[in-house]
Amino acid sequence: MKMMKNIAIAAGLTMAALPGLAQAQEGEIGYAKGALAYDALMSGDNQTAIAKLESGKLSDPAMMINLGQAYARTGRSGDAAKMFTAAMNSNRSFDLVLSDGEVINSRKAAQMALNNLNGRLASR
């Protein structure tokens, strides 16, 4: 059974923003403030994001995606790929609200993040 839950992540997957989604401006819908390291990721403080997310429960696809983003930004491409793959293969799946307001399934967001990572690596 697919669990539906709206949350925001700071993934670098930008599409058209959805109007009227003021709730997403809070950054972490359905989570305790800071649980997804949203503010750290949005400000580019990847080391703080990594420390916060590594100390959390990594069975959550949103946390795995955000940790993968922080790893990718710090050059840890292999670790990033592992996080994105784990999020794609998680037995949990739910809708996410991306930092730009787009609503997307967590598996699709993880796949897009992995594709973006692979594209960046291939262009080197």
Side-chain angles (χ1 to χ4, degrees):
M1 177 195 234
K2 180 177 165 182
M3 179 180 12
M4 299 297 286
K5 182 178 189 179
N6 285 337
I7 58 172
I9 63 171
L13 309 169
T14 55
M15 306 288 179
L18 296 176
L21 203 59
Q23 209 177 2
Q25 294 174 2
E26 294 175 17
E28 296 168 318
I29 302 166
Y31 287 84
K33 180 146 179 69
L36 297 177
Y38 179 86
D39 291 337
L41 286 167
M42 293 304 288
S43 68
D45 188 356
N46 298 305
Q47 294 304 326
T48 297
I50 289 170
K52 176 67 178 173
L53 292 165
E54 284 181 340
S55 69
K57 183 172 114 180
L58 285 180
S59 62
D60 184 300
M63 290 180 178
M64 289 184 259
I65 292 168
N66 280 5
L67 182 55
Q69 289 294 343
Y71 282 156
R73 292 176 182 179
T74 58
R76 295 173 60 180
S77 301
D79 291 330
K82 287 177 188 175
M83 285 294 105
F84 298 146
T85 301
M88 285 179 353
N89 295 329
S90 173
N91 62 354
R92 296 178 64 200
S93 172
F94 42 81
D95 287 345
L96 306 172
V97 179
L98 301 183
S99 59
D100 67 356
E102 180 185 7
V103 178
I104 187 171
N105 180 270
S106 59
R107 288 191 178 108
K108 184 174 179 183
Q111 180 65 60
M112 289 173 62
L114 183 60
N115 291 346
N116 287 343
L117 176 68
N118 288 337
R120 286 191 306 264
L121 293 174
S123 68
R124 287 184 181 177

